[in-house]
């Protein structure tokens, strides 16, 4: 069983909307405030990457159950330029936007499962899952 909602990322305000949606969904699933903050931080990073690098895309948030386990899946999808050097992007400190370079590696650390599918000239889909403990 899953419940899904999404936010199109086109403007900076959409990043805020995606964060709020994620916090609300995480709260509904039963995550505590610390994990709610982790989830919203991950969403913020993923949505910001869409805005900065692809121009537009979508953040989808899905509440999931797997037997007795409950969790939340965040899917960041765009049809942007794709990631030419994924290994480099996953290095701590690497940035092309002048930020802290904690984005993608930070999201991976904040979540339980993390998968990137990217193709240059086609786009990128990132799937990140957090399970309720």
């Amino acid at each position: 069983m899953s419940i899904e909602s999404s936010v199109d990322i086109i403007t900076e305000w959409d990043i805020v909307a995606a964060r709020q949606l994620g916090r609300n969904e995480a709260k509904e699933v039963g995550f505590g405030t610390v994990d709610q903050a982790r989830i919203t931080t991950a969403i913020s990073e993923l949505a910001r990457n869409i805005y900065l690098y692809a121009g537009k895309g979508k953040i989808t948030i899905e509440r999931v159950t797997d037997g007795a386990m409950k969790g939340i899946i965040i899917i960041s999808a765009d049809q942007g330029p794709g990631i030419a050097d994924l290994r480099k992007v996953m290095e701590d400190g690497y940035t092309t936007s002048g930020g802290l370079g904690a984005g993608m590696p930070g999201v991976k650390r904040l979540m339980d499962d993390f998968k990137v599918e990217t193709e240059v000239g086609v786009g990128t889909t990132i799937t990140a899952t957090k399970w309720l403990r």
Side-chain angles (χ1 to χ4, degrees), residues 9-109:
I9 306 297
I10 301 166
T11 71
E12 284 186 278
W13 287 108
D14 299 327
I15 299 169
V16 176
R19 280 179 58 92
Q20 190 59 49
L21 176 64
R23 183 176 300 280
N24 292 342
E25 293 294 323
K27 196 175 195 174
E28 284 292 317
V29 170
F31 285 101
T33 54
V34 172
D35 277 335
Q36 287 175 36
R38 288 181 177 125
I39 290 164
T40 56
T41 300
I43 290 168
S44 184
E45 288 293 338
L46 293 171
R48 185 174 171 278
N49 283 350
I50 289 172
Y51 177 73
L52 287 176
Y53 303 113
K56 64 181 179 174
K58 182 181 281 197
I59 295 287
T60 302
I61 299 164
E62 189 176 345
R63 288 190 246 164
V64 292
T65 55
D66 185 4
M69 293 176 51
K70 293 193 302 184
I72 197 163
I73 298 173
I74 302 159
I75 302 165
S76 166
D78 66 64
Q79 287 77 50
I83 302 169
D85 190 346
L86 185 57
R87 179 176 285 150
K88 191 101 175 139
V89 168
M90 292 306 296
E91 289 176 9
D92 278 317
Y94 177 76
T95 180
T96 58
S97 66
L100 296 174
M104 296 271 281
V107 171
K108 184 176 181 180
R109 281 192 298 274

Side-chain angles (χ1 to χ4, degrees), residues 76-83 104 116-119 122-126:
S76 166
D78 66 64
Q79 287 77 50
I83 302 169
M104 296 271 281
V116 180
E117 298 171 78
T118 187
E119 187 174 339
V122 176
T124 302
T125 300
I126 299 166

